[in-house]
Amino acid sequence: MAVLCLLAGLAPAAAGSPTVDAVRARGHLVCGVNEGLLGFAAQDPSGTWRGFDADFCRAVSVAVLGKDTDVVFVPLGTANRFEALKSGSIDLLARNTTWTMQRQVTLGFDFAGASFFDGQGFIARADRGLTSAQQLAGLKVCVVKGTTTETNMAYYFRQHGLAAETRGFDGRDAMLAAYKAGDCDAYSGDRSALFADRAGFEAPQDHAVLPEVISKEPLGPLVRAGDRTWSEVVRWTLYGLVNAEEVGLTRATAAAPLAGDAARLAAGADASGADLGLAPGWLPAVVRNVGNYGEIFERNVGEAGPLGMKRGLNALWSRGGILYAPPMW
């Protein structure tokens, strides 16, 4: 409690940050999320936002404000997510967005890192009897327009000589409505989104996620470029969650006196966090409120969550995955 009280009264960031100052002045973080993607960002029956991305927003809120409840969630579609960030309508976009050179360099955004390693795939009606994306020729395959998904799918079909009938939609809702109505035999998207969709269908067993992974999709939170302190706060909140899992800093252990590598991690986070205007104990406070990376993953998208996904590439580098964060000490 003492740490949270201290965090609530943070001084402006030492390096200066218009975004941090604005967040603290208004008393809440404005975070752009998916309009409704089970496991990542969706409202439960009570109206509370749940999911992997929603919890990351809460983690940043704790780092800056000391409370995980001080987040205003703004649901955004693929067509308006970047404009919302560019215009300043949101402070942070945590909406299953692929980190690409074009988005970082040309659009002028700054990705904080890869929070979820994904890959694009296809889902089809089980009664089509498909066992491979190589069988999509001659079928109607749908996709959301203006996304990396659309360009990746077109490239894959050209490379493999698949003459599928492709249909583009302005948003996921329109595409899903077409699929449910039978106007699409299959559609393409990040595999995490496909598993989320299938889990939410009335009869999940009637839909099959095909085995091919046709792209690499490092998904991650992004901010406007030009505010380095804010970028570093978001970046090191993400890396702090990963490092916390590595050293065994959990929601339970963060509530007790720290020892060993967990204490070393907290001390390192404090030393450099001071340069970002973060108060002592900011990282244990984050973990105590939302958990470490593994805890967030498991309850939202993992085998204990609604999607039932295995960690796969998102396992720690020391446990067979590629999840890796720079050291913080």
PDB file of all heavy atoms in Angstrom, residues 54-60 62 67-68 237 241 250-251 283-297 299-300:
ATOM      1  N   ALA A  54      -5.587  -5.649 -22.759  1.00  0.00           N
ATOM      2  CA  ALA A  54      -6.189  -4.817 -21.715  1.00  0.00           C
ATOM      3  C   ALA A  54      -5.339  -4.845 -20.454  1.00  0.00           C
ATOM      4  O   ALA A  54      -5.147  -3.812 -19.794  1.00  0.00           O
ATOM      5  CB  ALA A  54      -7.608  -5.301 -21.407  1.00  0.00           C
ATOM      6  N   ASP A  55      -4.801  -6.006 -20.114  1.00  0.00           N
ATOM      7  CA  ASP A  55      -3.948  -6.103 -18.934  1.00  0.00           C
ATOM      8  C   ASP A  55      -2.630  -5.359 -19.127  1.00  0.00           C
ATOM      9  O   ASP A  55      -2.074  -4.819 -18.164  1.00  0.00           O
ATOM     10  CB  ASP A  55      -3.679  -7.572 -18.593  1.00  0.00           C
ATOM     11  CG  ASP A  55      -4.826  -8.208 -17.827  1.00  0.00           C
ATOM     12  OD1 ASP A  55      -5.696  -7.460 -17.332  1.00  0.00           O
ATOM     13  OD2 ASP A  55      -4.864  -9.450 -17.720  1.00  0.00           O
ATOM     14  N   PHE A  56      -2.123  -5.325 -20.365  1.00  0.00           N
ATOM     15  CA  PHE A  56      -0.902  -4.543 -20.581  1.00  0.00           C
ATOM     16  C   PHE A  56      -1.183  -3.057 -20.356  1.00  0.00           C
ATOM     17  O   PHE A  56      -0.356  -2.346 -19.774  1.00  0.00           O
ATOM     18  CB  PHE A  56      -0.332  -4.761 -21.984  1.00  0.00           C
ATOM     19  CG  PHE A  56       0.926  -3.970 -22.207  1.00  0.00           C
ATOM     20  CD1 PHE A  56       2.112  -4.358 -21.593  1.00  0.00           C
ATOM     21  CD2 PHE A  56       0.918  -2.817 -22.964  1.00  0.00           C
ATOM     22  CE1 PHE A  56       3.274  -3.596 -21.744  1.00  0.00           C
ATOM     23  CE2 PHE A  56       2.071  -2.052 -23.129  1.00  0.00           C
ATOM     24  CZ  PHE A  56       3.258  -2.454 -22.514  1.00  0.00           C
ATOM     25  N   CYS A  57      -2.332  -2.587 -20.808  1.00  0.00           N
ATOM     26  CA  CYS A  57      -2.703  -1.189 -20.544  1.00  0.00           C
ATOM     27  C   CYS A  57      -2.711  -0.923 -19.042  1.00  0.00           C
ATOM     28  O   CYS A  57      -2.229   0.123 -18.579  1.00  0.00           O
ATOM     29  CB  CYS A  57      -4.072  -0.878 -21.134  1.00  0.00           C
ATOM     30  SG  CYS A  57      -4.174  -0.980 -22.936  1.00  0.00           S
ATOM     31  N   ARG A  58      -3.247  -1.852 -18.280  1.00  0.00           N
ATOM     32  CA  ARG A  58      -3.295  -1.690 -16.819  1.00  0.00           C
ATOM     33  C   ARG A  58      -1.889  -1.679 -16.228  1.00  0.00           C
ATOM     34  O   ARG A  58      -1.612  -0.940 -15.278  1.00  0.00           O
ATOM     35  CB  ARG A  58      -4.130  -2.818 -16.208  1.00  0.00           C
ATOM     36  CG  ARG A  58      -5.604  -2.757 -16.577  1.00  0.00           C
ATOM     37  CD  ARG A  58      -6.435  -3.797 -15.823  1.00  0.00           C
ATOM     38  NE  ARG A  58      -7.853  -3.635 -16.133  1.00  0.00           N
ATOM     39  CZ  ARG A  58      -8.513  -4.354 -17.033  1.00  0.00           C
ATOM     40  NH1 ARG A  58      -7.878  -5.315 -17.696  1.00  0.00           N
ATOM     41  NH2 ARG A  58      -9.785  -4.127 -17.258  1.00  0.00           N
ATOM     42  N   ALA A  59      -1.000  -2.488 -16.785  1.00  0.00           N
ATOM     43  CA  ALA A  59       0.374  -2.509 -16.291  1.00  0.00           C
ATOM     44  C   ALA A  59       1.036  -1.153 -16.467  1.00  0.00           C
ATOM     45  O   ALA A  59       1.716  -0.648 -15.569  1.00  0.00           O
ATOM     46  CB  ALA A  59       1.170  -3.590 -17.024  1.00  0.00           C
ATOM     47  N   VAL A  60       0.848  -0.529 -17.625  1.00  0.00           N
ATOM     48  CA  VAL A  60       1.415   0.799 -17.868  1.00  0.00           C
ATOM     49  C   VAL A  60       0.793   1.821 -16.925  1.00  0.00           C
ATOM     50  O   VAL A  60       1.480   2.715 -16.407  1.00  0.00           O
ATOM     51  CB  VAL A  60       1.209   1.215 -19.342  1.00  0.00           C
ATOM     52  CG1 VAL A  60       1.683   2.651 -19.574  1.00  0.00           C
ATOM     53  CG2 VAL A  60       1.955   0.262 -20.276  1.00  0.00           C
ATOM     54  N   VAL A  62      -0.287   1.314 -13.899  1.00  0.00           N
ATOM     55  CA  VAL A  62       0.318   1.156 -12.572  1.00  0.00           C
ATOM     56  C   VAL A  62       1.708   1.793 -12.558  1.00  0.00           C
ATOM     57  O   VAL A  62       2.081   2.476 -11.600  1.00  0.00           O
ATOM     58  CB  VAL A  62       0.405  -0.328 -12.172  1.00  0.00           C
ATOM     59  CG1 VAL A  62       1.164  -0.477 -10.854  1.00  0.00           C
ATOM     60  CG2 VAL A  62      -0.987  -0.918 -12.027  1.00  0.00           C
ATOM     61  N   LYS A  67      -2.133   2.897 -10.192  1.00  0.00           N
ATOM     62  CA  LYS A  67      -3.415   2.200 -10.103  1.00  0.00           C
ATOM     63  C   LYS A  67      -3.728   1.522 -11.420  1.00  0.00           C
ATOM     64  O   LYS A  67      -3.558   2.115 -12.481  1.00  0.00           O
ATOM     65  CB  LYS A  67      -4.549   3.188  -9.771  1.00  0.00           C
ATOM     66  CG  LYS A  67      -4.394   3.917  -8.451  1.00  0.00           C
ATOM     67  CD  LYS A  67      -5.550   4.883  -8.252  1.00  0.00           C
ATOM     68  CE  LYS A  67      -5.405   5.664  -6.954  1.00  0.00           C
ATOM     69  NZ  LYS A  67      -6.515   6.637  -6.779  1.00  0.00           N
ATOM     70  N   ASP A  68      -4.217   0.277 -11.345  1.00  0.00           N
ATOM     71  CA  ASP A  68      -4.569  -0.411 -12.578  1.00  0.00           C
ATOM     72  C   ASP A  68      -5.996  -0.117 -13.012  1.00  0.00           C
ATOM     73  O   ASP A  68      -6.453  -0.578 -14.052  1.00  0.00           O
ATOM     74  CB  ASP A  68      -4.359  -1.923 -12.449  1.00  0.00           C
ATOM     75  CG  ASP A  68      -5.277  -2.572 -11.425  1.00  0.00           C
ATOM     76  OD1 ASP A  68      -6.067  -1.852 -10.788  1.00  0.00           O
ATOM     77  OD2 ASP A  68      -5.197  -3.799 -11.265  1.00  0.00           O
ATOM     78  N   THR A 237       8.059  -1.262 -19.249  1.00  0.00           N
ATOM     79  CA  THR A 237       6.962  -1.961 -18.584  1.00  0.00           C
ATOM     80  C   THR A 237       6.801  -3.344 -19.209  1.00  0.00           C
ATOM     81  O   THR A 237       6.668  -4.352 -18.496  1.00  0.00           O
ATOM     82  CB  THR A 237       5.651  -1.166 -18.696  1.00  0.00           C
ATOM     83  OG1 THR A 237       5.793   0.107 -18.044  1.00  0.00           O
ATOM     84  CG2 THR A 237       4.503  -1.925 -18.043  1.00  0.00           C
ATOM     85  N   LEU A 241       7.734  -7.034 -17.361  1.00  0.00           N
ATOM     86  CA  LEU A 241       6.841  -8.177 -17.198  1.00  0.00           C
ATOM     87  C   LEU A 241       7.532  -9.479 -17.589  1.00  0.00           C
ATOM     88  O   LEU A 241       7.361 -10.511 -16.940  1.00  0.00           O
ATOM     89  CB  LEU A 241       5.581  -7.980 -18.053  1.00  0.00           C
ATOM     90  CG  LEU A 241       4.660  -6.821 -17.663  1.00  0.00           C
ATOM     91  CD1 LEU A 241       3.577  -6.632 -18.729  1.00  0.00           C
ATOM     92  CD2 LEU A 241       4.019  -7.063 -16.305  1.00  0.00           C
ATOM     93  N   THR A 250       6.145 -12.963  -9.084  1.00  0.00           N
ATOM     94  CA  THR A 250       4.739 -13.189  -9.411  1.00  0.00           C
ATOM     95  C   THR A 250       3.846 -12.260  -8.597  1.00  0.00           C
ATOM     96  O   THR A 250       4.326 -11.517  -7.735  1.00  0.00           O
ATOM     97  CB  THR A 250       4.343 -14.643  -9.106  1.00  0.00           C
ATOM     98  OG1 THR A 250       4.420 -14.839  -7.665  1.00  0.00           O
ATOM     99  CG2 THR A 250       5.275 -15.632  -9.796  1.00  0.00           C
ATOM    100  N   ARG A 251       2.545 -12.332  -8.838  1.00  0.00           N
ATOM    101  CA  ARG A 251       1.611 -11.518  -8.054  1.00  0.00           C
ATOM    102  C   ARG A 251       1.741 -11.849  -6.573  1.00  0.00           C
ATOM    103  O   ARG A 251       1.677 -10.957  -5.726  1.00  0.00           O
ATOM    104  CB  ARG A 251       0.168 -11.764  -8.511  1.00  0.00           C
ATOM    105  CG  ARG A 251      -0.132 -11.317  -9.910  1.00  0.00           C
ATOM    106  CD  ARG A 251      -1.595 -11.454 -10.261  1.00  0.00           C
ATOM    107  NE  ARG A 251      -2.363 -10.313  -9.792  1.00  0.00           N
ATOM    108  CZ  ARG A 251      -3.625 -10.067 -10.128  1.00  0.00           C
ATOM    109  NH1 ARG A 251      -4.262 -10.911 -10.932  1.00  0.00           N
ATOM    110  NH2 ARG A 251      -4.257  -9.019  -9.667  1.00  0.00           N
ATOM    111  N   LEU A 283       8.077  -1.536 -10.474  1.00  0.00           N
ATOM    112  CA  LEU A 283       7.905  -2.822 -11.141  1.00  0.00           C
ATOM    113  C   LEU A 283       7.217  -3.859 -10.246  1.00  0.00           C
ATOM    114  O   LEU A 283       6.271  -4.528 -10.695  1.00  0.00           O
ATOM    115  CB  LEU A 283       9.245  -3.349 -11.667  1.00  0.00           C
ATOM    116  CG  LEU A 283       9.180  -4.679 -12.429  1.00  0.00           C
ATOM    117  CD1 LEU A 283       8.164  -4.630 -13.563  1.00  0.00           C
ATOM    118  CD2 LEU A 283      10.555  -5.057 -12.955  1.00  0.00           C
ATOM    119  N   PRO A 284       7.625  -4.040  -8.986  1.00  0.00           N
ATOM    120  CA  PRO A 284       6.853  -4.946  -8.128  1.00  0.00           C
ATOM    121  C   PRO A 284       5.383  -4.540  -8.013  1.00  0.00           C
ATOM    122  O   PRO A 284       4.505  -5.403  -7.921  1.00  0.00           O
ATOM    123  CB  PRO A 284       7.573  -4.847  -6.775  1.00  0.00           C
ATOM    124  CG  PRO A 284       8.980  -4.495  -7.129  1.00  0.00           C
ATOM    125  CD  PRO A 284       8.853  -3.569  -8.295  1.00  0.00           C
ATOM    126  N   ALA A 285       5.109  -3.225  -8.037  1.00  0.00           N
ATOM    127  CA  ALA A 285       3.721  -2.778  -7.973  1.00  0.00           C
ATOM    128  C   ALA A 285       2.954  -3.212  -9.216  1.00  0.00           C
ATOM    129  O   ALA A 285       1.794  -3.633  -9.137  1.00  0.00           O
ATOM    130  CB  ALA A 285       3.666  -1.257  -7.821  1.00  0.00           C
ATOM    131  N   VAL A 286       3.600  -3.118 -10.392  1.00  0.00           N
ATOM    132  CA  VAL A 286       2.973  -3.569 -11.627  1.00  0.00           C
ATOM    133  C   VAL A 286       2.635  -5.055 -11.534  1.00  0.00           C
ATOM    134  O   VAL A 286       1.507  -5.479 -11.816  1.00  0.00           O
ATOM    135  CB  VAL A 286       3.903  -3.299 -12.839  1.00  0.00           C
ATOM    136  CG1 VAL A 286       3.405  -4.048 -14.074  1.00  0.00           C
ATOM    137  CG2 VAL A 286       3.987  -1.806 -13.134  1.00  0.00           C
ATOM    138  N   VAL A 287       3.618  -5.862 -11.127  1.00  0.00           N
ATOM    139  CA  VAL A 287       3.420  -7.313 -11.063  1.00  0.00           C
ATOM    140  C   VAL A 287       2.387  -7.678 -10.010  1.00  0.00           C
ATOM    141  O   VAL A 287       1.566  -8.577 -10.207  1.00  0.00           O
ATOM    142  CB  VAL A 287       4.759  -8.027 -10.799  1.00  0.00           C
ATOM    143  CG1 VAL A 287       4.552  -9.528 -10.625  1.00  0.00           C
ATOM    144  CG2 VAL A 287       5.740  -7.754 -11.944  1.00  0.00           C
ATOM    145  N   ARG A 288       2.400  -6.970  -8.886  1.00  0.00           N
ATOM    146  CA  ARG A 288       1.439  -7.255  -7.823  1.00  0.00           C
ATOM    147  C   ARG A 288       0.001  -7.012  -8.300  1.00  0.00           C
ATOM    148  O   ARG A 288      -0.928  -7.709  -7.887  1.00  0.00           O
ATOM    149  CB  ARG A 288       1.751  -6.376  -6.611  1.00  0.00           C
ATOM    150  CG  ARG A 288       0.899  -6.712  -5.394  1.00  0.00           C
ATOM    151  CD  ARG A 288       1.457  -6.084  -4.133  1.00  0.00           C
ATOM    152  NE  ARG A 288       1.570  -4.646  -4.201  1.00  0.00           N
ATOM    153  CZ  ARG A 288       2.725  -3.970  -4.309  1.00  0.00           C
ATOM    154  NH1 ARG A 288       3.880  -4.616  -4.357  1.00  0.00           N
ATOM    155  NH2 ARG A 288       2.737  -2.656  -4.349  1.00  0.00           N
ATOM    156  N   ASN A 289      -0.176  -6.049  -9.177  1.00  0.00           N
ATOM    157  CA  ASN A 289      -1.519  -5.713  -9.651  1.00  0.00           C
ATOM    158  C   ASN A 289      -1.984  -6.563 -10.824  1.00  0.00           C
ATOM    159  O   ASN A 289      -3.160  -6.951 -10.888  1.00  0.00           O
ATOM    160  CB  ASN A 289      -1.583  -4.231 -10.040  1.00  0.00           C
ATOM    161  CG  ASN A 289      -1.779  -3.316  -8.853  1.00  0.00           C
ATOM    162  OD1 ASN A 289      -2.897  -2.970  -8.508  1.00  0.00           O
ATOM    163  ND2 ASN A 289      -0.689  -2.940  -8.203  1.00  0.00           N
ATOM    164  N   VAL A 290      -1.093  -6.843 -11.787  1.00  0.00           N
ATOM    165  CA  VAL A 290      -1.543  -7.547 -12.999  1.00  0.00           C
ATOM    166  C   VAL A 290      -0.832  -8.871 -13.246  1.00  0.00           C
ATOM    167  O   VAL A 290      -1.253  -9.655 -14.099  1.00  0.00           O
ATOM    168  CB  VAL A 290      -1.396  -6.647 -14.252  1.00  0.00           C
ATOM    169  CG1 VAL A 290      -2.212  -5.386 -14.113  1.00  0.00           C
ATOM    170  CG2 VAL A 290       0.066  -6.330 -14.539  1.00  0.00           C
ATOM    171  N   GLY A 291       0.254  -9.161 -12.517  1.00  0.00           N
ATOM    172  CA  GLY A 291       0.997 -10.387 -12.735  1.00  0.00           C
ATOM    173  C   GLY A 291       2.164 -10.182 -13.680  1.00  0.00           C
ATOM    174  O   GLY A 291       2.327  -9.113 -14.272  1.00  0.00           O
ATOM    175  N   ASN A 292       3.009 -11.212 -13.808  1.00  0.00           N
ATOM    176  CA  ASN A 292       4.110 -11.137 -14.770  1.00  0.00           C
ATOM    177  C   ASN A 292       3.600 -11.578 -16.147  1.00  0.00           C
ATOM    178  O   ASN A 292       2.414 -11.882 -16.328  1.00  0.00           O
ATOM    179  CB  ASN A 292       5.304 -11.985 -14.307  1.00  0.00           C
ATOM    180  CG  ASN A 292       4.977 -13.470 -14.169  1.00  0.00           C
ATOM    181  OD1 ASN A 292       4.199 -14.023 -14.928  1.00  0.00           O
ATOM    182  ND2 ASN A 292       5.585 -14.122 -13.175  1.00  0.00           N
ATOM    183  N   TYR A 293       4.500 -11.619 -17.130  1.00  0.00           N
ATOM    184  CA  TYR A 293       4.082 -11.942 -18.495  1.00  0.00           C
ATOM    185  C   TYR A 293       3.379 -13.292 -18.546  1.00  0.00           C
ATOM    186  O   TYR A 293       2.307 -13.429 -19.160  1.00  0.00           O
ATOM    187  CB  TYR A 293       5.290 -11.949 -19.434  1.00  0.00           C
ATOM    188  CG  TYR A 293       4.909 -12.257 -20.872  1.00  0.00           C
ATOM    189  CD1 TYR A 293       4.655 -11.223 -21.769  1.00  0.00           C
ATOM    190  CD2 TYR A 293       4.777 -13.563 -21.322  1.00  0.00           C
ATOM    191  CE1 TYR A 293       4.283 -11.494 -23.077  1.00  0.00           C
ATOM    192  CE2 TYR A 293       4.395 -13.847 -22.623  1.00  0.00           C
ATOM    193  CZ  TYR A 293       4.152 -12.808 -23.495  1.00  0.00           C
ATOM    194  OH  TYR A 293       3.771 -13.089 -24.792  1.00  0.00           O
ATOM    195  N   GLY A 294       3.958 -14.304 -17.927  1.00  0.00           N
ATOM    196  CA  GLY A 294       3.374 -15.633 -17.967  1.00  0.00           C
ATOM    197  C   GLY A 294       1.992 -15.698 -17.356  1.00  0.00           C
ATOM    198  O   GLY A 294       1.095 -16.380 -17.865  1.00  0.00           O
ATOM    199  N   GLU A 295       1.798 -14.984 -16.250  1.00  0.00           N
ATOM    200  CA  GLU A 295       0.486 -14.981 -15.593  1.00  0.00           C
ATOM    201  C   GLU A 295      -0.556 -14.301 -16.477  1.00  0.00           C
ATOM    202  O   GLU A 295      -1.702 -14.760 -16.575  1.00  0.00           O
ATOM    203  CB  GLU A 295       0.595 -14.279 -14.239  1.00  0.00           C
ATOM    204  CG  GLU A 295       1.409 -15.066 -13.210  1.00  0.00           C
ATOM    205  CD  GLU A 295       1.607 -14.298 -11.912  1.00  0.00           C
ATOM    206  OE1 GLU A 295       2.173 -13.175 -11.958  1.00  0.00           O
ATOM    207  OE2 GLU A 295       1.209 -14.819 -10.857  1.00  0.00           O
ATOM    208  N   ILE A 296      -0.167 -13.201 -17.113  1.00  0.00           N
ATOM    209  CA  ILE A 296      -1.086 -12.497 -18.013  1.00  0.00           C
ATOM    210  C   ILE A 296      -1.445 -13.384 -19.201  1.00  0.00           C
ATOM    211  O   ILE A 296      -2.611 -13.482 -19.600  1.00  0.00           O
ATOM    212  CB  ILE A 296      -0.458 -11.172 -18.487  1.00  0.00           C
ATOM    213  CG1 ILE A 296      -0.309 -10.207 -17.310  1.00  0.00           C
ATOM    214  CG2 ILE A 296      -1.293 -10.535 -19.594  1.00  0.00           C
ATOM    215  CD1 ILE A 296       0.479  -8.947 -17.635  1.00  0.00           C
ATOM    216  N   PHE A 297      -0.447 -14.049 -19.762  1.00  0.00           N
ATOM    217  CA  PHE A 297      -0.670 -14.935 -20.906  1.00  0.00           C
ATOM    218  C   PHE A 297      -1.631 -16.067 -20.535  1.00  0.00           C
ATOM    219  O   PHE A 297      -2.625 -16.307 -21.237  1.00  0.00           O
ATOM    220  CB  PHE A 297       0.668 -15.504 -21.386  1.00  0.00           C
ATOM    221  CG  PHE A 297       0.572 -16.349 -22.634  1.00  0.00           C
ATOM    222  CD1 PHE A 297       0.905 -15.813 -23.861  1.00  0.00           C
ATOM    223  CD2 PHE A 297       0.150 -17.679 -22.580  1.00  0.00           C
ATOM    224  CE1 PHE A 297       0.821 -16.588 -25.022  1.00  0.00           C
ATOM    225  CE2 PHE A 297       0.047 -18.453 -23.723  1.00  0.00           C
ATOM    226  CZ  PHE A 297       0.387 -17.902 -24.948  1.00  0.00           C
ATOM    227  N   ARG A 299      -3.864 -16.609 -18.108  1.00  0.00           N
ATOM    228  CA  ARG A 299      -5.267 -16.391 -17.747  1.00  0.00           C
ATOM    229  C   ARG A 299      -6.087 -15.847 -18.912  1.00  0.00           C
ATOM    230  O   ARG A 299      -7.315 -15.949 -18.908  1.00  0.00           O
ATOM    231  CB  ARG A 299      -5.387 -15.468 -16.531  1.00  0.00           C
ATOM    232  CG  ARG A 299      -5.030 -14.023 -16.756  1.00  0.00           C
ATOM    233  CD  ARG A 299      -5.453 -13.167 -15.544  1.00  0.00           C
ATOM    234  NE  ARG A 299      -4.935 -11.817 -15.643  1.00  0.00           N
ATOM    235  CZ  ARG A 299      -3.821 -11.390 -15.080  1.00  0.00           C
ATOM    236  NH1 ARG A 299      -3.081 -12.232 -14.359  1.00  0.00           N
ATOM    237  NH2 ARG A 299      -3.416 -10.148 -15.219  1.00  0.00           N
ATOM    238  N   ASN A 300      -5.432 -15.266 -19.907  1.00  0.00           N
ATOM    239  CA  ASN A 300      -6.172 -14.651 -21.003  1.00  0.00           C
ATOM    240  C   ASN A 300      -6.210 -15.485 -22.280  1.00  0.00           C
ATOM    241  O   ASN A 300      -7.262 -15.628 -22.905  1.00  0.00           O
ATOM    242  CB  ASN A 300      -5.590 -13.273 -21.320  1.00  0.00           C
ATOM    243  CG  ASN A 300      -5.860 -12.258 -20.232  1.00  0.00           C
ATOM    244  OD1 ASN A 300      -7.015 -12.026 -19.877  1.00  0.00           O
ATOM    245  ND2 ASN A 300      -4.817 -11.658 -19.688  1.00  0.00           N
TER     246      ASN A 300
END
